[in-house]
Amino acid sequence: MKPKYIISSCLVGVKCRYNATCSSTVNLNDMIESGEAIPVCPEVIAGLPTPREPVEIQNIEEGVQVTSKAGKDYTAQFLKSADEVLKVCQENNITHAILQSRSPSCGFGKIYDGTFSGTLIDGNGIVADKLFKNGINVMTDEEFED
Ligand code: SF4
């Protein structure tokens, strides 16, 4: 079967989140095993280590900036990862993406507001936004479950 989906790796058991855990609301492993989907972690693709500092998107209305709580700027790595993941999609004719909710890379529709206080705002992670703007049908794991 040719893959049609990419799925955030942390949704299918890969412990690649910033705190070296995985997390999923729905079992998507069958889609990987059947070849219907490819697992992708944009932050690992960008060369970031696991575990790593948690980051959030800052000032989303004024332009993209991704920083850690300590103020370290990760914007360049996140923009690079978006380019890389789009390339993976284009090379494999991927049409759909199931991505981890609320992540600064993978979140779609809602993300944290940049204050590291757990507050959500409307917006997309850097990678999800890039894929969406390039015609990929993006949904979160929670939307897929529904
Ligand atoms: S949410 Fe996306 S970037 Fe973060 S660990 Fe999961 S796959 Fe990687």
Side-chain angles (χ1 to χ4, degrees):
M1 183 186 294
K2 284 193 177 169
K4 175 179 163 190
Y5 292 83
I6 60 162
I7 298 178
S8 296
S9 296
C10 60
L11 293 174
V12 289
V14 181
K15 295 181 178 176
C16 54
R17 294 180 71 217
Y18 72 94
N19 56 0
T21 64
C22 54
S23 161
S24 182
T25 57
V26 56
N27 186 350
L28 302 167
N29 293 344
D30 289 351
M31 294 174 71
I32 302 292
E33 282 161 22
S34 70
E36 189 182 4
I38 302 171
V40 173
C41 176
E43 293 175 25
V44 169
I45 285 177
L48 297 177
T50 306
R52 54 188 172 273
E53 286 188 289
V55 303
E56 293 190 3
I57 300 174
Q58 316 289 329
N59 306 320
I60 193 162
E61 288 169 3
E62 296 164 27
V64 171
Q65 191 179 10
V66 184
T67 64
S68 68
K69 195 171 183 178
K72 187 169 176 192
D73 192 331
Y74 287 94
T75 309
Q77 290 98 321
F78 274 62
L79 293 175
K80 177 171 172 268
S81 78
D83 289 341
E84 295 287 331
V85 175
L86 179 61
K87 200 167 137 200
V88 168
C89 290
Q90 290 171 336
E91 286 174 353
N92 291 282
N93 297 315
I94 298 293
T95 54
H96 291 66
I98 305 171
L99 302 179
Q100 175 71 262
S101 307
R102 299 179 285 279
S103 152
S105 292
C106 295
F108 188 65
K110 292 279 180 194
I111 54 170
Y112 292 111
D113 71 348
T115 63
F116 296 90
S117 63
T119 307
L120 290 169
I121 54 171
D122 291 341
N124 299 330
I126 305 294
V127 174
D129 199 58
K130 180 98 183 185
L131 299 185
F132 176 68
K133 286 177 176 163
N134 282 274
I136 306 287
N137 187 344
V138 179
M139 67 200 91
T140 67
D141 54 322
E142 292 167 356
E143 288 166 339
F144 183 78
E145 190 176 22
D146 288 343

